[in-house]
């Protein structure tokens, strides 16, 4: 699995223990197969961003980088991520939308979002590896 390393400065005034960590960490598709091209995500609790990359046996390319609005309570939640356009506009395989909605299901432990794959809009459901 590729490791996604956020490249923005941490928020120094945030205490990472104030909010639940539910969605933070690495995510792979439900039907994860490392030998195929697929999306992988990293939600950074401390840096408040979400990064999604196309990953293949030959490398990786940015699909999405944007904000992560941390919840203040445990449980299910959703957020609208604002794109980091400085990053996404440079990625040849990056989503060019200004925003992207993400959904976290605390009971099922899944992260879900819409992505265009091969020109077809699809719901991507991810789990922790």
């Amino acid at each position: 699995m590729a490791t996604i390393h956020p490249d923005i400065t941490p928020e120094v005034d945030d205490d990472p223990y104030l909010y639940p960590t539910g969605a933070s960490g690495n995510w792979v598709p439900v039907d994860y197969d490392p030998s195929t091209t697929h999306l992988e995500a990293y939600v950074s609790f401390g840096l408040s961003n979400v990064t999604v990359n196309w990953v293949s046996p030959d490398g990786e390319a940015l699909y999405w980088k944007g904000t992560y609005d941390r919840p203040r309570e445990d449980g299910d939640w959703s957020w609208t991520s604002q794109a980091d356009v400085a990053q996404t506009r440079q990625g040849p395989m990056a989503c060019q939308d200004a925003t992207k909605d993400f959904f976290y299901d605390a009971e099922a432990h899944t992260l879900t979002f819409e992505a265009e794959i091969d020109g077809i809009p699809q719901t991507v459901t991810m789990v922790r590896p």
Side-chain angles (χ1 to χ4, degrees):
M1 181 172 100
T3 302
I4 303 169
H5 300 285
D7 59 358
I8 62 173
T9 305
E11 299 163 355
V12 294
D13 60 345
D14 273 356
D15 181 347
Y17 300 103
L18 292 178
Y19 311 114
T21 60
S24 61
N26 291 312
W27 295 88
V28 296
V30 171
D31 57 354
Y32 175 64
D33 178 353
S35 68
T36 64
T37 299
H38 59 278
L39 291 169
E40 291 186 10
Y42 178 76
V43 178
S44 174
F45 180 72
L47 300 176
S48 297
N49 71 67
V50 58
T51 303
V52 181
N53 282 341
W54 285 108
V55 178
S56 75
D58 299 325
E60 61 185 67
L62 180 68
Y63 173 74
W64 179 261
K65 184 162 190 158
T67 59
Y68 166 49
D69 299 328
R70 291 173 290 175
R72 298 183 187 270
E73 297 177 13
D74 287 322
D76 300 344
W77 78 90
S78 63
W79 75 94
T80 299
S81 179
Q82 304 294 317
D84 179 342
V85 294
Q87 297 289 318
T88 58
R89 73 174 157 208
Q90 295 180 27
M93 297 180 70
C95 176
Q96 298 301 307
D97 296 342
T99 63
K100 182 166 286 300
D101 293 327
F102 289 84
F103 305 92
Y104 172 72
D105 182 322
E107 186 175 326
H109 303 288
T110 57
L111 181 68
T112 306
F113 58 95
E114 297 294 319
E116 190 170 298
I117 300 172
D118 295 329
I120 302 168
Q122 296 182 30
T123 299
V124 176
T125 301
M126 297 189 148
V127 295
R128 294 185 191 280

